[in-house]
Amino acid sequence: MERLMIRGLFLLCVSLFPFAVKTPKYKEMLIVFFSKGVLSILLDTFVVNTGRVKYPIRPMPKIFSTNILYDLLFFPLLSIFWVRQTYHDKLPYILLKSMTWSVPMSILQWFMEKKTDLFEWKKWSILHTFASVNFTLFTIRALVGLVKIFNRNSSSEAPITLE
């Protein structure tokens, strides 16, 4: 059952990826995707290596101790949709909208930890999941804010002309 869930998640992510990055700001969305992947794999590697979480069933178990499907595809893809949802929002709305992502994800992970063998929480809880999801979402959203500021500043400069 768990392997079927992993395959289904993979197919879902692959089919949604073109829709996620299909936007005039596709370069920013690719930055979000790859940055979130790096951040997720770093945090998950730390969590797994310190014995807080274990992934008994995962893709390529002889190579990776983390669930790379979640870290490098699923979570970065969700982050693209979240950034697109909050792209023009100010901080209060970003905080509010983060709850629409972090609360359901935390509850779903808690439920899946109880009902499946996809992962086991050793020194972990639903509050840890909630905090880590919010931390990564806000980190990536802050990166997008910096990219927007950089793009705004670089486009306002006068073009260099050769005389």
Side-chain angles (χ1 to χ4, degrees), residues 13 17 64 106 134:
C13 290
F17 183 79
F64 298 102
S106 300
N134 275 308

Side-chain angles (χ1 to χ4, degrees):
M1 161 107 157
E2 284 83 0
R3 298 223 184 265
L4 182 63
M5 291 172 72
I6 288 174
R7 286 186 188 114
L9 182 62
F10 176 75
L11 291 174
L12 178 68
C13 290
V14 168
S15 63
L16 287 177
F17 183 79
F19 299 105
V21 295
K22 186 179 179 182
T23 175
K25 305 206 180 298
Y26 73 93
K27 290 178 185 175
E28 288 179 20
M29 296 306 116
L30 289 174
I31 290 171
V32 167
F33 184 82
F34 291 116
S35 300
K36 183 60 167 219
V38 169
L39 182 59
S40 293
I41 201 80
L42 288 173
L43 288 174
D44 208 16
T45 300
F46 172 77
V47 167
V48 168
N49 288 342
T50 56
R52 290 173 169 84
V53 175
K54 182 180 175 188
Y55 296 99
I57 299 174
R58 62 190 183 274
M60 296 184 263
K62 293 181 181 176
I63 300 170
F64 298 102
S65 60
T66 64
N67 188 333
I68 59 163
L69 175 62
Y70 179 77
D71 291 336
L72 298 179
L73 195 57
F74 179 69
F75 207 21
L77 193 61
L78 286 181
S79 295
I80 288 176
F81 288 115
W82 184 72
V83 165
R84 287 177 66 175
Q85 182 187 27
T86 62
Y87 193 80
H88 298 289
D89 292 339
K90 302 283 187 217
L91 185 59
Y93 289 111
I94 292 171
L95 293 171
L96 183 62
K97 287 180 180 180
S98 74
M99 296 300 151
T100 65
W101 292 88
S102 59
V103 170
M105 285 181 70
S106 300
I107 292 170
L108 182 63
Q109 278 195 3
W110 172 79
F111 179 78
M112 290 183 71
E113 195 272 335
K114 300 289 182 204
K115 300 294 182 185
T116 70
D117 291 327
L118 289 173
F119 48 90
E120 297 172 9
W121 289 349
K122 303 291 185 182
K123 301 173 194 167
W124 199 258
S125 72
I126 193 171
L127 296 176
H128 290 97
T129 298
F130 177 78
S132 65
V133 167
N134 275 308
F135 170 76
T136 59
L137 287 175
F138 291 138
T139 302
I140 295 304
R141 186 58 182 82
L143 175 65
V144 169
L146 289 174
V147 169
K148 285 169 61 174
I149 290 169
F150 179 74
N151 283 340
R152 192 177 323 128
N153 289 342
S154 66
S155 66
S156 65
E157 294 177 4
I160 299 173
T161 58
L162 299 173
E163 296 182 39

